[in-house]
Amino acid sequence: MPHTSVLADLRERVQRLEGRDARVRKALPFGVPEIDGRLPGGGLALGALHEVAGGGNGAVDGAAAALFTAGVAARTKGKVLWCVTRQDLFAPAIAQAGLAPGRVIFVEAGDERMLLACFEDGLRHGGLGAVVAEVAKLSMTASRRLQLAAEGSGTLALAVRRWRRQAEAADFGQPTASVTRWRVSVLPSRPLPVPGVGRSRWLLELLRSRAGECADFEVEACDAQGRLALPSTLADRSAAPQVAGRRAAG
């Protein structure tokens, strides 16, 4: 009956506004069971908003957050729209994280307001693999608009939180409509058996996961395909006899 269909439509709209979409949402797995197992659907939900920030206020952790985001975007299909307000994104670095320059469309907005408008328009377009925006502040109202735009098109929305001033960093702790919230901090590189610099390592913190659990992981940074990895247990084992030998000598 007509009344039944109208009621079903209203219920679906309410569920979407409350973040409980009845439809099965596709997910982009990390390919690391320890991480995917903590996320509903076995990966990052597509058609949803996700937040990423550096663990500290310095440029190093901020760069790690951008590389983590680039690795996620690299594993989607299609072009990636990356919105910024500052021309300081280093394209060769994100290429090393798997996101080839030919796939990225860069948009420079004049201010945060214009940035959020470009972010939302990109999500509503529907023909992109992912939309990334580097934002300092993200209100509940703005995040809800972005979340609904992502749901409508099925596009992955990635908000990289960046701050010009220390006072803006506190905004990252405020509630938003994002499905997940991540924090990335740089760890010392894995030691090598020969002189050199090993693969970068990060402390990856899942601070919020809707219908999931919070967790933290020590991971090796994105490779050329945008994939993370857990630190090799073999490398840890090889170092163990040396440590035991030093203790015995002492």
Side-chain angles (χ1 to χ4, degrees):
M1 295 179 63
H3 293 294
T4 304
S5 61
V6 171
L7 183 59
D9 181 64
L10 288 174
R11 283 175 176 170
E12 182 180 351
R13 291 186 182 185
V14 170
Q15 288 174 336
R16 290 180 61 185
L17 289 172
E18 292 179 347
R20 298 194 299 270
D21 197 336
R23 296 170 297 179
V24 177
R25 188 179 282 146
K26 295 182 179 179
L28 179 70
F30 284 96
V32 180
E34 289 80 358
I35 301 177
D36 293 333
R38 297 279 186 155
L39 297 168
L44 278 184
L46 298 175
L49 173 65
H50 306 273
E51 292 180 75
V52 184
N57 298 321
V60 175
D61 286 340
L67 291 175
F68 169 76
T69 305
V72 172
R75 293 183 287 108
T76 63
K77 296 180 180 180
K79 295 285 187 178
V80 174
L81 184 69
W82 199 302
C83 307
V84 299
T85 56
R86 290 179 282 181
Q87 295 182 351
D88 60 354
L89 188 64
F90 191 52
I94 64 173
Q96 290 182 354
L99 188 55
R103 288 188 58 198
V104 186
I105 303 171
F106 295 102
V107 173
E108 183 183 359
D111 53 32
E112 286 274 320
R113 182 178 179 182
M114 184 61 68
L115 183 84
L116 290 172
C118 293
F119 196 180
E120 184 176 345
D121 287 345
L123 291 172
R124 294 192 183 280
H125 179 269
L128 299 167
V131 180
V132 182
E134 301 182 3
V135 298
K137 293 185 177 181
L138 189 62
S139 67
M140 178 60 80
T141 300
S143 64
R144 280 177 175 165
R145 291 181 62 91
L146 296 170
Q147 173 64 23
L148 289 173
E151 287 180 2
S153 65
T155 304
L156 183 65
L158 300 166
V160 182
R161 306 298 300 274
R162 295 189 63 187
W163 305 284
R164 295 176 183 269
R165 294 174 291 274
Q166 176 67 27
E168 294 176 340
D171 185 74
F172 185 59
Q174 299 301 313
T176 66
S178 61
V179 173
T180 65
R181 178 178 287 175
W182 303 82
R183 186 163 58 194
V184 187
S185 304
V186 173
L187 296 174
S189 299
R190 186 180 69 184
L192 297 176
V194 295
V197 179
R199 185 173 174 179
S200 299
R201 294 194 298 176
W202 299 331
L203 174 61
L204 183 61
E205 299 173 84
L206 177 57
L207 302 177
R208 181 177 186 271
S209 176
R210 186 184 297 172
E213 301 178 7
C214 297
D216 57 80
F217 316 90
E218 185 178 316
V219 299
E220 294 184 342
C222 298
D223 62 13
Q225 285 74 47
R227 298 192 177 277
L228 302 172
L230 295 182
S232 172
T233 55
L234 181 61
D236 294 337
R237 289 174 185 170
S238 64
Q242 298 178 6
V243 174
R246 293 194 190 99
R247 290 178 179 173

